[in-house]
Amino acid sequence: MTALSSGAAVSETVSETVSETVSEAADPLADAHSRLRAAIDVLGYEEHMYDMLATARREMTVSVPLRRDDGTVEVLTGHRVQHNFSRGPAKGGLRFSPDVDLDEVRALAMWMTWKCALLDVPYGGAKGGVRIDPRLYSTSELERVTRRYTSEIMPIIGPEQDIPAPDVGTDEQTMAWIMDSYSVSSGHTVLGVVTGKPISLGGSLGRATATSRGVVHVALAALAERGLAPTASRAAVQGFGKVGRSAARFLAEAGVAVTAVSDQYGGIRADGGIDIVDLEAHVDRTGTVVGFPGAEPLDGDLLVEEDVELLVPAAVECVIRADNAARVRAAVIVEGANGPTTPEADRILEDNGQLVVPDILANAGGVVVSYFEWVQANQAYWWSEDDVEARLRERMLGAWERVRLYAAQRDLSLRSAATCLAVESVAQAHRRRGLYP
Ligand code: GLU
């Protein structure tokens, strides 16, 4: 049985899967390099610091042979990129997507380094990916892919080396399989090898919604910065998967009218606001936001151009580009996804006076609670949900305040300020350790 042949599996798989198509012009690694270059220039660092930080410390590409349910064998490709170890072990998600390529994984790994440094989480960045469209494979096929990929990258992962987590196209079940495969090979259960695990297997309370919670903490702070009360604000959310879905719900709970939502199949809009709880029930039933009664259809590609105060791109990279940035009307853009805005688009938004809260700050809630999960797993001592939520809020708002102040004092965009703060922290650690040998 393929995932697509069962209604229940469709809704679960789709909501956790790729939410938008990456544009042909997308070049996340070039974007990541250009942001690093700008930060190095602002900080006045030596050229070798750019070279050091533009390059991943370690990369592994593996073949993942998969026995399909019909007995045929297919060979997939997987990567794990560990961008930096100066501040601690590497950390970052694992993506199952047909768009995965090594350069994309490199960019995503670098962004993880900045995210961890900015939030003062003691890790360097990593990212993994398998080039596969998970919607086209059965659950048991995905289990075999995950276990074989884990065994191939086994020499470079571990609770003190590199700790994977969910990302586009993977979920807590994927993490349970990785944990089990790693543990079986180690001869004992190793809870700290992955985060984003099911609660029953050492996952943390609050991890599943952590990225969305973090997005909403900084979104509300950014709206306040612009003098916008939540109840006087409308929001458009792109993507209704792991990040967008709960972000839309938390925004609605805070009093924001969520007037437009999209997923990979299309979008919907309603001037009076969409009932997110009803929409979630509709998505659980049908696998998509499309066709939600009480809302008009909307071309998913046009969601970013909606007339709203807050735009939350929560799908994939490079969706706000030079060709559509001038038509983005939101006063505040909060990047739930990694790399949704290209550098050219950034310049257009900045010239138009729009406030962009960058991904490395806005969506860092996931890795913050991953860190909490790793701490809890390593100590075998579990925190209450209230503890997790309070500590997450404190870290997100603390980082928001640091970035806001740094930007204001130096007349920088929030993105430049966040990247500079992160690069500064990694460079400091690197200098104090010294270059070996
Ligand atoms: N994949 C998530 C991200 O991009 C979470 C990573 C983690 O928790 O390690 O931030």
Side-chain angles (χ1 to χ4, degrees), residues 91-93 112 115 127 163 165-167 195 207 338 363 366-367 370:
K91 180 92 189 77
M112 284 308 304
K115 233 183 263 190
K127 204 76 163 198
I163 305 116
D167 198 84
T195 58
R207 173 62 185 86
N338 291 311
N363 71 36
V367 77
S370 272

Side-chain angles (χ1 to χ4, degrees), residues 275-343:
D275 185 318
I276 301 299
V277 175
D278 285 356
L279 177 61
E280 289 191 280
H282 171 81
V283 170
D284 287 340
R285 255 192 331 271
T286 66
T288 172
V289 301
V290 174
F292 178 61
E296 317 160 23
L298 167 73
D299 180 338
D301 290 341
L302 298 182
L303 177 125
V304 298
E305 301 175 19
E306 279 291 291
D307 183 17
V308 287
E309 284 66 42
L310 171 67
L311 171 64
V312 181
V316 291
E317 301 96 274
C318 306
V319 292
I320 307 177
R321 304 172 304 265
D323 61 297
N324 65 358
R327 293 194 298 276
V328 170
R329 288 185 275 178
V332 175
I333 296 120
V334 177
E335 296 185 332
N338 291 311
T341 313
T342 66

